[in-house]
Amino acid sequence: MQYVKLGQSGLKVSRLCLGTMNMGSKEWKPWIFNEKESEPIIAHALDMGVNFIDLADFYSLGAGEEVVCNVLRRIARRDDLVITTKVGYAMNNDINAQGHSRKKHFQTPILTISPK
C-alpha cells in the first residue's frame, strides 16, 4: 500500500480510503451490508494496508457508524487508523436534524473506539 500525507496535517494515510456508505442497516437501503457482512470487507481492507476509513453520520441514519465502529473495536487498533466522518446531511425531517448547528452535532452521542 502507498501512503500519502493528508493535507497539511502531517498524518500519513493509505492512498486508498475505505468508503462505508454500503455498511449499516438494510432498513435504510436494501443494498446495505449489515455488521456480519461488513466485517470481511473491513478486515480485507485492513489486511491490505488501508488505514483511512470514511464514514458519514447519515449513512443508514447513524447505523453505518455503529456497524463500522463495532467491527473496528473487534479487529483493529484505534491508534493505527485515521477515521473521518462527514456531517451536515439531514438525519430526519426535523429542522434541527440537518446542517452544522451545535444542536445537531453536540447533542448527538459520539461513537468512540477504545484502543485494543
Side-chain angles (χ1 to χ4, degrees):
M1 179 62 61
Q2 293 179 346
Y3 298 90
V4 296
K5 281 188 182 176
L6 182 63
Q8 301 294 321
S9 71
L11 292 171
K12 294 243 179 153
V13 296
S14 50
R15 185 171 288 280
L16 297 178
C17 177
L18 177 63
T20 60
M21 185 178 190
N22 60 338
M23 300 175 191
S25 171
K26 291 183 188 301
E27 292 177 24
W28 187 55
K29 306 279 184 194
W31 46 267
I32 298 294
F33 297 130
N34 63 28
E35 190 169 320
K36 184 178 178 183
E37 296 166 320
S38 298
E39 186 163 337
I41 297 166
I42 297 169
H44 182 71
L46 297 176
D47 289 346
M48 295 294 105
V50 170
N51 73 341
F52 187 20
I53 299 173
D54 177 61
L55 303 160
D57 64 354
F58 84 103
Y59 293 167
S60 292
L61 301 177
E65 289 178 323
E66 291 178 31
V67 162
V68 173
C69 291
N70 287 342
V71 171
L72 292 174
R73 276 188 197 103
R74 287 194 300 276
I75 68 171
R77 283 182 18 115
R78 174 62 182 99
D79 289 345
D80 296 338
L81 304 173
V82 176
I83 301 171
T84 62
T85 194
K86 297 176 287 298
V87 297
Y89 298 99
M91 298 292 286
N92 59 47
N93 291 329
D94 183 279
I95 191 70
N96 289 310
Q98 57 190 336
H100 296 281
S101 72
R102 288 186 182 128
K103 180 170 179 61
K104 180 176 189 294
H105 298 298
F106 296 109
Q107 291 183 352
T108 304
I110 297 173
L111 298 170
T112 59
I113 302 172
S114 302
K116 233 180 179 183

